[in-house]
Amino acid sequence: MEQTPPSAPGRAAKAQAPQPPRKPERIVGRLREERRLKQEQERAAAARDLTGISDIGVADGPAPGVDGERRRGRGAVSNAAGRFEPHAREAFDDGWESLDELPVFQTSVTVEKPRTIINRNNSPDVGFDRSINPYRGCEHGCVYCFARPTHAYQGYSAGLDFETKLFAKPDAPELLAKELSKPGYEPRTIALGINTDGYQPIEREWRLTRRILEVLRDFGHPVGIVTKSALVLRDLDILGPMAERGLAKVALSVTTLDHKLARIMEPRAATPMRRIETIRRLSEAGVPTAVLAAPMIPAINDAELERILDTAAAAGATEAGYVMIRLPLEILDLFKEWLLTHFPDRYRHVLSLVKEMHGGKEYDSTFGQRMSGSGPYAWTVARRFEIAAERLGLNKRHLRLTNRHFRRPPRPGEQLSLFGEER
């Protein structure tokens, strides 16, 4: 009987043993190289796409616009002429280093003298029919701000001019008192800081928002505030007592919890954590507080929706909302420049999702669609928001401010009511 040599099984086992896996560093290196090549392709494709934008004319290469040092701390990349201007102006180097002589963009404030201060609207997309904007333009520098195109009515650009050439309305409190005193005025909640933020940096000096709140307090008039600034805490001495009477509520707009991303999206607004802390302090002071995840930008900050709601709810927010990005008029070109500058590898993907939300267009102004969009992607974001809000107990009850305290303070020399009114 033949016996198998003892070494045979060892040789067979050795032959059948699996080959050692490829070294992880080789796989990582290959993936990194593939990612780099894909990013380069996306940058080149994005630059080609931008050649169709008016007044830009970009070929393969760096993003267009004003030199980075001149616009440091600003949101927009360029400063194209307003859409009503007869001529387009563009700074260029004439070969004598003339661009080096151009100054950096500094904030300036011009006094504006309007005849009325309460703005009216009939849009079904917002929950108010009147608002007050003590300022025109906004130093926060959010490139996606829907108010940017309004600067064209002043002969200025929706780009860097909107962030640097500001207008203040010093007569706003007196105009407001005059309008509220009219016999036919019917009180309803006034929204403060809608077109531009009433607590932007220049409010520290001008204090127009505070003076407006003082007028509303004296009249017993309800007010809802939307802001990205922690400066709203300065006015807790007014907002606290008003909230006790059902006359005030505040919403903080939080677009991201990433500090670096926030500096790109909103260069001169409060940091995300300061806004969350503001929600906490307002809530502790008894002021009803909401969080607005607005705007949600596809493939930029949309993945943070649940985290934003979680963090705000933990800080004391009781209501929440969200808005998808809107790109009307000049904002579209400004947004494309911004994307190419900061996220060139995501440029085409972001715009493809934006178009998907608007039936193949980059913007749809239809009421009911413009702020939320339609289609699979918009539906998914809406369901994510609803599920997160339900889980966190947000929006269980929407606070309605009261009009029952409204009264017109007596004018000098006017006889007081015999029985007075409840305050």
Side-chain angles (χ1 to χ4, degrees):
M1 181 176 178
E2 297 182 0
Q3 294 183 352
T4 305
S7 59
R11 290 196 301 269
K14 184 176 181 181
Q16 296 174 3
Q19 295 295 321
R22 298 175 63 183
K23 292 184 178 180
E25 57 268 21
R26 292 181 181 177
I27 299 176
V28 172
R30 178 172 55 82
L31 293 175
R32 185 182 296 115
E33 179 64 17
E34 290 178 355
R35 189 181 301 113
R36 185 187 65 80
L37 291 174
K38 183 178 180 181
Q39 289 176 346
E40 289 182 357
Q41 293 171 356
E42 289 289 347
R43 289 190 182 96
R48 288 195 298 272
D49 289 345
L50 279 177
T51 57
I53 299 179
S54 59
D55 301 326
I56 295 181
V58 180
D60 292 346
V66 176
D67 178 72
E69 289 301 316
R70 290 190 61 216
R71 56 179 172 83
R72 180 184 294 274
R74 306 294 180 177
V77 175
S78 67
N79 203 42
R83 64 185 181 278
F84 300 124
E85 300 306 295
H87 304 288
R89 298 179 298 275
E90 180 181 355
F92 71 98
D93 192 344
D94 59 5
W96 294 88
E97 299 182 351
S98 57
L99 290 181
D100 296 338
E101 302 173 1
L102 295 176
V104 298
F105 282 82
Q106 300 285 348
T107 302
S108 64
V109 182
T110 301
V111 170
E112 184 176 347
K113 296 283 188 178
R115 288 181 290 183
T116 60
I117 197 62
I118 299 179
N119 307 305
R120 308 278 180 164
N121 80 83
N122 58 359
S123 170
D125 291 331
V126 294
F128 57 88
D129 67 349
R130 62 198 70 183
S131 62
I132 296 176
N133 295 294
Y135 305 105
R136 191 189 299 272
C138 186
E139 200 173 359
H140 283 165
C142 310
V143 73
Y144 47 75
C145 180
F146 67 88
R148 282 183 177 272
T150 63
H151 241 46
Y153 296 111
Q154 309 299 314
Y156 288 120
S157 171
L160 291 165
D161 281 350
F162 179 81
E163 307 170 38
T164 58
K165 298 184 184 301
L166 311 181
F167 294 82
K169 307 170 186 178
D171 296 336
E174 290 75 20
L175 290 172
L176 175 60
K178 182 180 178 180
E179 293 185 52
L180 298 183
S181 297
K182 292 181 179 179
Y185 179 80
E186 292 292 333
R188 294 187 66 179
T189 300
I190 285 179
L192 183 58
I194 299 302
N195 216 36
T196 58
D197 200 320
Y199 284 102
Q200 62 179 291
I202 60 173
E203 165 65 14
R204 292 185 176 90
E205 176 184 355
W206 289 81
R207 301 174 67 87
L208 295 180
T209 297
R210 180 175 178 85
R211 291 170 56 203
I212 287 172
L213 288 178
E214 290 171 344
V215 172
L216 294 172
R217 175 198 60 193
D218 295 342
F219 277 81
H221 196 292
V223 61
I225 298 173
V226 179
T227 184
K228 291 182 177 179
S229 175
L231 185 58
V232 66
L233 295 174
R234 178 201 63 187
D235 296 335
L236 265 179
D237 60 320
I238 300 175
L239 293 172
M242 289 185 72
E244 289 181 4
R245 303 167 63 200
L247 294 174
K249 60 182 179 179
V250 178
L252 269 294
S253 176
V254 181
T255 52
T256 177
L257 298 178
D258 185 324
H259 179 82
K260 292 182 178 179
L261 179 57
R263 290 279 67 79
I264 296 173
M265 295 178 65
E266 310 144 343
R268 300 203 176 193
T271 63
M273 288 302 101
R274 287 195 65 192
R275 283 180 243 180
I276 296 299
E277 175 65 12
T278 300
I279 291 175
R280 185 187 66 79
R281 291 185 57 185
L282 286 169
S283 179
E284 290 177 349
V287 179
T289 311
V291 60
L292 296 178
M296 287 286 100
I297 305 176
I300 299 296
N301 68 333
D302 57 339
E304 294 188 69
L305 177 59
E306 288 84 357
R307 288 184 59 226
I308 292 171
L309 299 182
D310 285 343
T311 308
T318 57
E319 296 184 26
Y322 82 99
V323 177
M324 298 306 298
I325 189 165
R326 298 192 291 154
L327 301 173
L329 301 172
E330 294 99 324
I331 302 178
L332 177 59
D333 288 356
L334 291 169
F335 182 71
K336 288 180 177 180
E337 292 176 333
W338 179 84
L339 273 179
L340 182 62
T341 301
H342 299 290
F343 305 100
D345 55 323
R346 305 188 212 177
Y347 171 82
R348 301 180 75 191
H349 181 50
V350 172
L351 290 184
S352 69
L353 291 174
V354 169
K355 291 178 181 179
E356 180 186 311
M357 290 192 298
H358 299 299
K361 299 181 293 184
E362 290 164 326
Y363 178 62
D364 182 4
S365 61
T366 305
F367 285 152
Q369 297 289 335
R370 57 180 182 156
M371 300 177 72
S372 58
S374 60
Y377 173 78
W379 183 90
T380 301
V381 174
R383 298 296 81 75
R384 288 172 54 201
F385 174 82
E386 291 176 354
I387 292 170
E390 177 69 22
R391 172 174 56 83
L392 296 168
L394 296 168
N395 297 335
K396 291 293 186 182
R397 183 175 65 89
H398 288 282
L399 175 67
R400 293 180 62 87
L401 301 180
T402 182
N403 298 323
R404 66 188 182 92
H405 298 299
F406 180 74
R407 60 182 291 275
R408 297 174 178 84
R411 298 175 181 177
E414 183 178 349
Q415 184 176 356
L416 298 176
S417 169
L418 178 61
F419 299 102
E421 297 183 41
E422 180 186 358
R423 293 297 303 274

